[in-house]
């Protein structure tokens, strides 16, 4: 929230007051949410207990969101309002036997209220000296409330319930004047573009576009067999060659391998991209606009392509970009509006990245059977030259073609991995098509928690059958025969028995214990502030911010 300068500040207290004209992280998502809670507490009729209960629930959500950073005034409001709501409900229900309990609740609320105020003054250094009464007087609270607090905490004197109720009203009025009204007047909502450091800025974006363009040109020349600038002239367009020539002059080298390494190294080390949510997405989108990067595999020119781009993929892994990069590749495969060549290229690279992580798991498992003192992880692992011993293990033990396979790890304790949840995999299954059906079985092995073999086989079979049926329908419209369609499937798909037609319901139930889906359709179960809902509603709570309703 951004603080605005107000012409007049009538509050005596400076508790929870933020610096003006600055953006601050708050427990409420925007001013409208703050206004709503304010209205429920101070603008709703006293007889409207339901509104005050809703405000109470929202205050608890705010406390969960900010935990120890929750404003003192919010904690004080929560302490007093909770007792008031409980008291109002008891009065409506006529439960006179709960008077003693209500007194105890009020006593605890006033004790916490004064403690919150005085402790905040001590921590800020404003009220470090003097008695508790002096400290609360500095913020405009009458001394009788301190006496009431002492009686509640240290005395056995029975205090009238009317005294508690009137004191609670006084506390709520003080909070309204010294926090709620002040904040409501001074705060305003702000979006991500207004927060300093939350966006990359045009300079970084232009630098990334230039790096991606140079990288695509250099790797294209390398893939065509060129080693130096002079040999690339016949393989590149005049515009691209001129751009590469200027880049070589600026970097004082004409060796293409060195140029490709320098571009990736500059991306990782020199450009110093800001650590904001937009950085990872922008880097991935920019490099996915490289034409030859996706064009070459789409045309079947994959020989040596993995070796050329291995350092780039390793850098994406080391910098934490590869998860988003893979997700963007799969999005391209699933996007019907995307060009066919780009979808085919995205399929190739998604498969290669998934295979690289699967191969890393096998390599680490192999190292456990060997003396691995020399196979320790280093933060600079992606920049190290692969040793002869590591190459021998990949070639002889794992039967890997080093020219056409991406290798991302060389140590037993390499921490790099993909975070592929079951919910993400199930979502990919719902969008399976001819471009993702071959990638899906590979990433199933990387799921967390690990799927059993039976679950994986059932999901793979369902995905293949779903794709076969989809392709048959398309080819029937085109006049093709079913035999022509089946010939396009993989060898593994032909070996399976497709006599049973699996549906998506079969797939969704394959990873759940028997009877669980039936139990999900029972009555709604209340869980404090939230309610448990039927899984068929397809609510993805993993993407819902803490304390937010997904339909808001």
């Amino acid at each position: 929230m951004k603080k605005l300068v107000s012409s007049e500040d009538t509050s005596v207290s400076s508790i929870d007051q933020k610096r003006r004209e600055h953006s601050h992280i708050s427990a409420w998502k925007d001013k409208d949410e703050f206004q709503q809670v304010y209205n429920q507490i101070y603008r709703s009729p006293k007889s409207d207990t339901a509104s005050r209960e809703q405000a109470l629930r929202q205050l608890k959500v705010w406390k969960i969101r900010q935990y120890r950073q929750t404003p003192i005034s919010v904690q004080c409001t929560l302490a007093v309002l909770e007792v008031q709501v409980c008291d109002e409900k008891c009065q409506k229900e006529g439960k006179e036997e709960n008077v003693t309990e209500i007194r105890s609740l009020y006593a605890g609320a006033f004790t916490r209220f004064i403690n919150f105020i005085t402790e905040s003054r001590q921590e800020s250094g404003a009220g470090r000296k003097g008695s508790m009464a002096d400290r609360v007087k500095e913020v405009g609270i009458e001394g009788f409330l301190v006496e009431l607090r002492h009686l509640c905490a240290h005395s056995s004197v029975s205090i009238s319930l009317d005294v508690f109720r009137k004191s609670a009203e006084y506390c709520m009025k003080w909070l309204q004047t010294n926090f709620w009204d002040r904040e409501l007047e001074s705060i305003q909502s702000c979006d991500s573009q207004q927060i300093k450091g939350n966006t990359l800025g045009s300079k970084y974006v232009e630098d990334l576009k230039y790096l991606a363009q140079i990288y695509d040109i250099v790797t294209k020349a390398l893939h065509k067999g060129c080693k130096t600038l002079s040999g690339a002239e016949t393989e590149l367009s005049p515009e691209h060659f001129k751009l590469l020539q200027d880049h070589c002059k600026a970097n004082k080298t004409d060796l293409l391998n060195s140029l490709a390494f320098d571009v990736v190294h500059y991306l990782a080390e020199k450009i110093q991209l800001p650590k904001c949510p937009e950085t990872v997405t922008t880097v991935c989108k920019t490099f996915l606009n490289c034409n030859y990067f996706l064009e070459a595999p789409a045309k079947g020119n994959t020989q040596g392509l993995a070796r050329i781009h291995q350092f780039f993929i390793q850098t994406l892994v080391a910098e934490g970009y590869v998860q988003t990069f893979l997700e963007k590749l799969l999005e391209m495969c699933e996007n019907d509006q995307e060009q066919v060549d780009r979808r085919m290229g995205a399929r190739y690279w998604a498969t290669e990245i998934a295979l690289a992580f699967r191969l890393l798991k096998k390599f680490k498992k192999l190292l456990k059977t060997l003396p691995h003192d020399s196979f320790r992880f280093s933060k600079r692992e992606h920049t190290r030259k692969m040793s002869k011993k590591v190459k021998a293990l990949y070639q002889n033990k794992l039967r890997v073609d080093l020219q056409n396979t991406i290798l991302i790890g060389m140590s037993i304790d390499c921490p790099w991995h993909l975070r592929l949840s079951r919910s993400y995999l199930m979502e990919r299954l719902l969008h399976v098509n001819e471009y993702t059906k071959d990638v899906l079985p590979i990433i199933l092995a990387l799921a967390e928690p690990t799927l059993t073999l039976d679950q994986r086989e059932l999901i793979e079979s369902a995905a293949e059958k779903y794709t076969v049926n989809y392709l048959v329908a398309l080819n029937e419209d085109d006049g093709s025969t079913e035999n022509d369609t089946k010939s396009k499937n993989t060898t593994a798909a032909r070996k399976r028995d497709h006599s049973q037609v699996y549906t998506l319901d079969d797939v969704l139930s394959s990873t759940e214990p028997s009877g669980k889906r039936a139990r999900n359709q029972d009555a709604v179960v209340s869980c404090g502030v939230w309610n448990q809902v039927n899984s068929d509603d397809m609510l993805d709570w993993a993407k819902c911010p803490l304390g937010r309703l997904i339909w808001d």
Side-chain angles (χ1 to χ4, degrees), residues 259-429:
L259 289 175
F261 178 86
D262 290 342
V263 168
V264 179
H265 184 262
Y266 185 82
L267 171 68
E269 303 290 340
K270 299 296 180 63
I271 195 171
Q272 294 182 348
L273 296 171
K275 295 181 179 180
C276 65
E278 188 183 344
T279 298
V280 178
T281 304
T282 304
V283 169
C284 295
K285 285 183 176 180
T286 302
F287 277 87
L288 284 176
N289 286 328
C290 294
N291 293 326
Y292 192 77
F293 181 77
L294 298 175
E295 176 187 317
K299 294 182 177 180
N301 301 326
T302 60
Q303 182 65 31
L305 201 61
R307 180 183 59 81
I308 293 173
H309 293 283
Q310 176 161 299
F311 181 54
F312 171 67
I313 300 298
Q314 287 178 332
T315 301
L316 292 180
V317 175
E319 296 297 319
Y321 300 155
V322 72
Q323 179 81 27
T324 304
F325 195 76
L326 177 62
E327 291 173 0
K328 294 296 180 184
L329 289 170
L330 293 175
E331 284 179 15
M332 292 175 62
C333 292
E334 295 169 357
N335 186 5
D336 294 333
Q337 305 300 320
E338 194 68 71
Q339 297 178 8
V340 174
D341 286 348
R342 287 177 60 82
R343 296 177 79 180
M344 293 176 64
R347 175 180 62 185
Y348 170 80
W349 287 114
T351 304
E352 290 300 314
I353 292 173
L355 284 173
F357 279 95
R358 194 168 180 177
L359 186 60
L360 176 61
K361 292 179 67 175
K362 293 182 179 181
F363 182 68
K364 291 166 69 174
K365 186 176 180 180
L366 173 64
L367 290 182
K368 291 180 181 179
T369 63
L370 303 173
H372 48 263
D373 292 339
S374 58
F375 301 101
R376 290 298 178 185
F377 177 74
S378 168
K379 292 183 179 180
R380 308 285 301 171
E381 180 155 330
H382 62 292
T383 62
R384 292 191 304 178
K385 187 177 180 180
M386 187 177 296
S387 66
K388 293 182 179 180
K389 188 181 295 185
V390 172
K391 288 183 179 179
L393 289 176
Y394 273 115
Q395 284 182 311
N396 301 330
K397 297 293 184 180
L398 300 178
R399 306 297 181 185
V400 172
D401 181 3
L402 298 180
Q403 295 296 316
N404 298 292
T405 307
I406 296 175
L407 306 178
I408 58 175
M410 296 174 282
S411 57
I412 190 173
D413 54 346
C414 179
W416 297 332
H417 68 286
L418 292 173
R419 301 181 300 276
L420 300 175
S421 64
R422 291 189 180 185
S423 61
Y424 178 78
L425 294 178
M426 299 310 291
E427 186 177 353
R428 302 284 67 75
L429 181 61

Side-chain angles (χ1 to χ4, degrees), residues 145-204:
L145 210 59
V146 177
E147 296 299 327
L148 181 61
R149 182 262 179 201
H150 290 334
L151 290 175
C152 293
H154 308 296
S155 176
S156 59
V157 176
S158 179
I159 303 173
S160 170
L161 199 55
D162 288 337
V163 173
F164 279 132
R165 289 169 179 165
K166 291 180 180 179
S167 300
E169 290 294 334
Y170 173 83
C171 291
M172 294 299 291
K173 183 65 177 177
W174 182 89
L175 288 167
Q176 181 183 9
T177 303
N178 291 274
F179 175 72
W180 291 93
D181 287 343
R182 182 191 70 202
E183 292 297 301
L184 194 60
E185 181 183 358
S186 62
I187 63 175
Q188 70 176 17
S189 303
C190 64
D191 54 32
S192 59
Q193 301 298 322
Q194 295 175 283
I195 302 175
K196 184 178 180 181
N198 198 49
T199 56
L200 277 178
S202 58
K203 180 181 180 300
Y204 287 113

